[in-house]
Amino acid sequence: MILVIIIVCIISTIISSSSSSEITNSTNLPQAIIIGVKKCGTRALLKFLSIHPAIAASSTEIHFFDSPKNFQLGLDWYRNQMPIVKNNQYLTIEKTPHYFIDRQTPARIFHLLPEVKLILILRDPIIRAISDYVQIKSRHEFYPTFDEFISMKNFTRWTPIKIGCYVIYLRRWLKYFPLERIHFVDGENLIQRPWQELEYVQQFLNISNHIQQEHFYFNSNKRGFPCVKQPNGCLGTSKGRQHPLISEKTREILKNLYSTCNQQFKQLAQINFSWL
């Protein structure tokens, strides 16, 4: 009888140990998603959040909800793309900035992850458009100047310009998610005072305020962009590219174009970023 009890105890210990190992090295569906906006600092935001001990951050853009090919692979496929949860990490987060402007994504996320928290980072749409242009231009040897694009008759149909009218896309999201489920990050302030924006995000995610000013420094070789104090703590060479000068005429055209969009977004999102 004693021998039987000992064997049972040993088996229970093995099973318990195995279960604990599985929990420690599992993958979870995300509890939070950075849904956009492209060229507003989504990559920087995720990198900064990844230093929090409670967060398991995806290292790549998953493109599950905005890709028909990926979406048909199902929720198990999506879960398997998530990072392995280690130690005391309990919050999984991914970022795919194209989610924000994709028509199908809000409904798909709502139906599969109705309780997920959404993070949206934004910048002055004029700066965002120029940054988008710089990235596109880097892939082409011969490309029109930014001013030349804005002088074209149908320039408002150009994707780098269309994205900047954020209110159009936010309306789609608010059909499915209440405003309190969406946290807005000021991309301009993230560059100047990243610890401040990270404090707000940590509050929204209901996690400890672990990420502080002491975790950052500013890299003079990358136009003064913030980096975290860890190996490979700065973003890659594609970040911090020099922006071209644009004419005052171009700037006035874009200011007038975005004026109404910004005011409507400010009212709808109930935020008051300085550039709005």
Side-chain angles (χ1 to χ4, degrees):
M1 184 65 181
I2 296 175
L3 181 59
V4 171
I5 293 174
I6 293 174
I7 293 174
V8 169
C9 289
I10 292 173
I11 293 173
S12 298
T13 302
I14 293 173
I15 292 174
S16 176
S17 175
S18 175
S19 299
S20 175
S21 176
E22 288 177 4
I23 292 172
T24 303
N25 297 286
S26 64
T27 56
N28 298 324
L29 289 170
Q31 292 84 32
I33 302 176
I34 300 174
I35 58 173
V37 175
K38 178 186 178 186
K39 305 310 297 179
C40 287
T42 59
R43 184 176 164 194
L45 178 60
L46 187 68
K47 186 174 187 66
F48 299 160
L49 282 171
S50 70
I51 70 175
H52 196 292
I55 290 179
S58 172
S59 60
T60 60
E61 295 178 8
I62 308 301
H63 288 284
F64 175 65
F65 294 101
D66 62 342
S67 167
K69 179 182 177 181
N70 290 342
F71 190 70
Q72 69 179 2
L73 296 175
L75 207 56
D76 285 340
W77 179 89
Y78 182 51
R79 187 198 308 272
N80 289 333
Q81 309 314 304
M82 293 300 120
I84 294 175
V85 176
K86 300 176 181 178
N87 302 324
N88 61 339
Q89 293 175 327
Y90 57 86
L91 193 150
T92 299
I93 183 169
E94 74 121 320
K95 72 103 176 173
T96 302
H98 187 255
Y99 285 166
F100 181 59
I101 65 172
D102 181 68
R103 288 182 175 274
Q104 304 298 324
T105 294
R108 286 173 172 171
I109 292 181
F110 174 74
H111 288 118
L112 293 181
L113 300 174
E115 301 300 320
V116 74
K117 292 184 176 182
L118 306 173
I119 300 173
L120 185 64
I121 179 169
L122 310 113
R123 297 192 71 184
D124 179 330
I126 298 177
I127 297 176
R128 197 221 68 82
I130 296 172
S131 182
D132 206 348
Y133 162 82
V134 169
Q135 184 179 58
I136 296 171
K137 186 177 184 298
S138 69
R139 303 174 187 144
H140 299 84
E141 185 176 356
F142 302 103
Y143 207 63
T145 67
F146 189 82
D147 287 334
E148 287 171 339
F149 268 114
I150 304 307
S151 68
M152 295 178 184
K153 184 177 180 180
N154 296 323
F155 81 93
T156 55
R157 298 181 183 178
W158 187 34
T159 300
I161 299 300
K162 287 169 58 178
I163 292 176
C165 193
Y166 305 130
V167 68
I168 295 173
Y169 310 101
L170 181 61
R171 289 191 184 112
R172 297 176 187 166
W173 286 90
L174 292 180
K175 291 179 180 178
Y176 298 93
F177 292 93
L179 195 59
E180 57 267 23
R181 194 78 62 75
I182 306 174
H183 178 73
F184 301 94
V185 177
D186 186 345
E188 304 300 335
N189 196 41
L190 185 73
I191 295 173
Q192 302 298 325
R193 290 171 291 275
W195 53 88
Q196 189 176 73
E197 289 302 315
L198 268 295
E199 179 181 355
Y200 304 147
V201 175
Q202 290 169 106
Q203 290 175 358
F204 173 69
L205 296 176
N206 196 28
I207 56 179
S208 63
N209 188 24
H210 171 84
I211 307 170
Q212 304 282 339
Q213 183 173 353
E214 64 201 42
H215 288 102
F216 296 93
Y217 71 95
F218 293 89
N219 188 342
S220 59
N221 295 326
K222 297 183 70 62
R223 296 172 56 215
F225 270 61
C227 304
V228 289
K229 295 177 181 178
Q230 65 177 33
N232 300 315
C234 290
L235 299 178
T237 56
S238 65
K239 302 301 177 182
R241 293 191 185 108
Q242 190 66 36
H243 283 195
L245 295 176
I246 64 173
S247 69
E248 284 304 313
K249 180 180 179 181
T250 292
R251 192 173 295 278
E252 283 303 310
I253 290 173
L254 294 180
K255 282 177 65 176
N256 292 332
L257 175 68
Y258 289 130
S259 176
T260 301
C261 290
N262 285 348
Q263 288 304 312
Q264 291 178 348
F265 186 88
K266 179 179 178 179
Q267 294 172 2
L268 191 61
Q270 299 178 26
I271 57 175
N272 193 28
F273 296 162
S274 60
W275 51 268
L276 284 170

